[in-house]
Amino acid sequence: MGATEAKTVHSPALTYFSMLSLLSLCPPFVILLWYTMVHADGSVVQTWNFLKQHGLQGFLEIWPRPTAVAWKIIFVYGAFEAALQLVLPGKRVEGPISPTGHRPVYKANGMAAYFVTLVTYISLWWFEIFNPTVVYDHLGEIYSALIFGSLIFCVFLYIKGHVAPSSTDSGSSGNLIIDFYWGMELYPRIGKSFDIKVFTNCRFGMMSWAVLAVTYCIKQYEANTKVSDSMLVNTTLMLVYVTKFFWWEAGYWNTMDIAHDRAGFYICWGCLVWVPSIYTSPGMYLVNHPVNLGPQLAFYILFAGILCIYINYDCDRQRQEFRRTSGKCKIWGKAPSKIEAIYTTTSGETKTSLLLTSGWWGLARHFHYVPEILAAFFWTVPALFNHFLPYFYVLFLTILLFDRAKRDDDRCRSKYGKYWKLYCNKVPYKIIPGIY
Ligand code: NDP
């Protein structure tokens, strides 16, 4: 893989436009979303009217300055997660072989880190050592500190990629913006074993999702002395999703985020800032908008959400089981149908990959995105339909995954050539069977 790969997916003009737009618009958007959820009743119209009336000055007043409390919370949380990543025991796991022939090795201790984190956090609250409402009350300052801190972190990744890359899977496209945005190193590490992408994507980003979901629940409880059923459904579904993630974390190390996307603004800033703010936002909204769904509706939404999370998990599991056993497994009770795809690595070696064409992977080439999007809808719908903003994550995820399906298809087409064409002929739909 070359760092230039990303820029060839869309036209150069569109690529530069989207990179510069995301670099400049994402940080203020995080603050506006937080402000609207927490201080403007979740109403985009209210925030819009405020900005219309007060202009840029008003926006700067909204933007909280990073405070010492915010930095302390981020630092303690980050250091705790880094320590767990380093010290907790875990099985040795090998990642997929990279185009330059490098195979990363990991310690699979994500589930243990997840368990220790949640037990510690809830115990701190239970024994009145630290109240999670402090996190909610300083959320704006925390996001503000994360925005700036993570930008500096991405500069560090850029410099490290130039002067001290950790492996051969590194390189410059010759363009500063592309290198900063898409990253330079595929597998950056500190020392031999501290994997930076495992830290940013899994242990900081995904873990913060669970920690904040619990925080929102506790905040609502402390404010109202009870938790609404809408909040319970939302928190449960988010926790089931994140639990699934850590259960399958070693599988995540085989996906595009880790095996194809380099460590830069797109992935790392996204996981350090966008995940804790945007991904958790339906819960953030519910804190001040408790809805009473009633047991029957709450149960149906919960059931539908869990089913979608399970199907999404099963799609990933099926693909990985199929690859792990070199196709010698059962898919939906039968021997899998497959394509043997031959490709050449950048070092000129000829290799073979198996492409599964039955089971979930026979319905559409990226069918797994359908239950992913539906699950997000089901943990948002407890907020009902008074405001659009809680649904922003669902909308964002839909755009992200449709774009990702295109990026992945383009990458696989250039990797597998005629074999990918064969797969497309056999499984013609990209995401939604019979429609798209
Ligand atoms: P994956 O990386 O898991 O799958 C795509 C890769 O699988 C391809 O690049 C190709 O890699 C290989 N592949 C493609 N078709 C086949 C086939 N038929 N048989 C075997 N292998 C195949 O996809 P994602 O990283 O996009 O998704 C992983 C999970 O993460 C999903 O559950 C998804 O929903 C979730 N996700 C969530 C996001 C969020 O923000 N909430 C964002 C993105 C993903 P190779 O080069 O090895 O052939």
Side-chain angles (χ1 to χ4, degrees):
M1 167 187 150
T4 48
E5 173 198 16
K7 73 176 172 184
T8 58
V9 172
H10 300 295
S11 72
L14 181 63
T15 303
Y16 279 105
F17 176 75
S18 55
M19 281 192 305
L20 291 172
S21 311
L22 290 173
L23 278 165
S24 52
L25 296 179
C26 287
F29 185 82
V30 166
I31 297 301
L32 285 175
L33 179 122
W34 158 80
Y35 173 80
T36 309
M37 292 295 195
V38 175
H39 296 294
D41 196 30
S43 161
V44 176
V45 176
Q46 204 171 309
T47 300
W48 174 250
N49 287 339
F50 175 87
L51 291 176
K52 226 166 59 184
Q53 207 179 338
H54 300 278
L56 184 65
Q57 191 54 36
F59 173 62
L60 292 177
E61 275 162 29
I62 283 176
W63 195 311
R65 306 292 169 263
T67 55
V69 177
W71 286 118
K72 229 187 275 177
I73 289 172
I74 294 169
F75 180 77
V76 171
Y77 167 70
F80 185 67
E81 292 307 325
L84 294 184
Q85 185 177 332
L86 279 173
V87 304
L88 286 177
K91 237 174 51 189
R92 180 184 184 278
V93 171
E94 290 187 348
I97 193 153
S98 75
T100 65
H102 166 75
R103 196 185 276 284
V105 174
Y106 302 96
K107 184 160 67 163
N109 58 7
M111 198 62 197
Y114 178 63
F115 181 76
V116 172
T117 301
L118 286 191
V119 169
T120 307
Y121 195 55
I122 292 169
S123 304
L124 289 175
W125 172 60
W126 191 256
F127 295 110
E128 297 180 6
I129 298 165
F130 175 78
N131 195 326
T133 57
V134 174
V135 174
Y136 180 84
D137 296 340
H138 292 82
L139 211 48
E141 298 148 40
I142 292 173
Y143 289 146
S144 182
L146 278 177
I147 286 169
F148 295 117
S150 305
L151 272 176
I152 294 168
F153 185 73
C154 292
V155 173
F156 156 78
L157 288 175
Y158 173 80
I159 296 170
K160 180 178 173 322
H162 270 293
V163 301
S166 301
S167 77
T168 47
D169 297 300
S170 176
S172 168
S173 66
N175 180 305
L176 187 143
I177 301 172
I178 291 178
D179 285 351
F180 180 78
Y181 185 88
W182 286 110
M184 303 209 24
E185 288 191 79
L186 189 57
Y187 295 115
R189 291 202 165 182
I190 295 174
K192 234 177 112 71
S193 55
F194 189 78
D195 191 283
I196 292 181
K197 270 164 80 184
V198 170
F199 177 73
T200 54
N201 297 24
C202 309
R203 308 310 172 79
F204 196 101
M206 290 304 289
M207 197 72 81
S208 74
W209 191 348
V211 169
L212 285 171
V214 171
T215 304
Y216 300 147
C217 209
I218 291 176
K219 176 69 189 178
Q220 197 186 66
Y221 175 77
E222 298 246 333
N224 307 337
T225 62
K226 66 177 174 78
V227 181
S228 62
D229 54 8
S230 50
M231 179 61 104
L232 278 178
V233 172
N234 170 271
T235 312
T236 309
L237 286 179
M238 283 186 171
L239 287 181
V240 170
Y241 182 87
V242 182
T243 309
K244 176 219 80 163
F245 175 85
F246 281 107
W247 176 259
W248 161 88
E249 190 194 42
Y252 174 70
W253 298 333
N254 291 291
T255 69
M256 276 176 79
D257 282 4
I258 299 290
H260 305 302
D261 288 335
R262 297 181 175 210
F265 177 87
Y266 176 77
I267 274 290
C268 295
W269 195 90
C271 290
L272 294 171
V273 187
W274 202 249
V275 172
S277 54
I278 309 302
Y279 284 42
T280 70
S281 59
M284 200 193 303
Y285 172 85
L286 282 168
V287 172
N288 297 324
H289 301 84
V291 176
N292 189 21
L293 298 170
Q296 203 172 18
L297 184 56
F299 173 79
Y300 287 143
I301 297 174
L302 188 67
F303 178 77
I306 290 176
L307 184 67
C308 289
I309 295 170
Y310 171 75
I311 295 174
N312 172 258
Y313 162 78
D314 201 49
C315 295
D316 291 332
R317 187 202 57 77
Q318 219 172 54
R319 181 177 82 82
Q320 280 162 13
E321 174 80 354
F322 167 78
R323 279 272 171 97
R324 191 181 58 76
T325 59
S326 304
K328 292 182 187 64
C329 60
K330 286 260 166 43
I331 300 290
W332 289 353
K334 285 193 276 192
S337 87
K338 57 182 184 271
I339 291 171
E340 267 190 49
I342 298 165
Y343 67 98
T344 314
T345 65
T346 49
S347 56
E349 269 180 278
T350 302
K351 294 203 176 284
T352 305
S353 267
L354 292 182
L355 297 173
L356 175 62
T357 60
S358 59
W360 299 114
W361 294 81
L363 298 182
R365 300 194 297 280
H366 305 274
F367 175 76
H368 57 325
Y369 294 157
V370 174
E372 174 88 33
I373 294 166
L374 285 177
F377 173 78
F378 285 120
W379 68 61
T380 307
V381 81
L384 301 183
F385 301 102
N386 289 337
H387 291 293
F388 158 74
L389 204 55
Y391 292 87
F392 176 77
Y393 172 65
V394 183
L395 176 69
F396 157 78
L397 185 70
T398 307
I399 296 169
L400 175 88
L401 294 181
F402 274 68
D403 177 66
R404 194 178 173 95
K406 176 178 164 32
R407 283 205 303 130
D408 194 43
D409 262 20
D410 288 352
R411 195 189 64 76
C412 289
R413 190 172 303 112
S414 73
K415 180 175 174 182
Y416 296 121
K418 63 178 180 189
Y419 300 101
W420 191 256
K421 224 170 145 198
L422 206 64
Y423 180 36
C424 293
N425 288 339
K426 214 164 168 194
V427 183
Y429 294 103
K430 216 185 250 181
I431 298 176
I432 309 170
I435 296 178
Y436 176 75

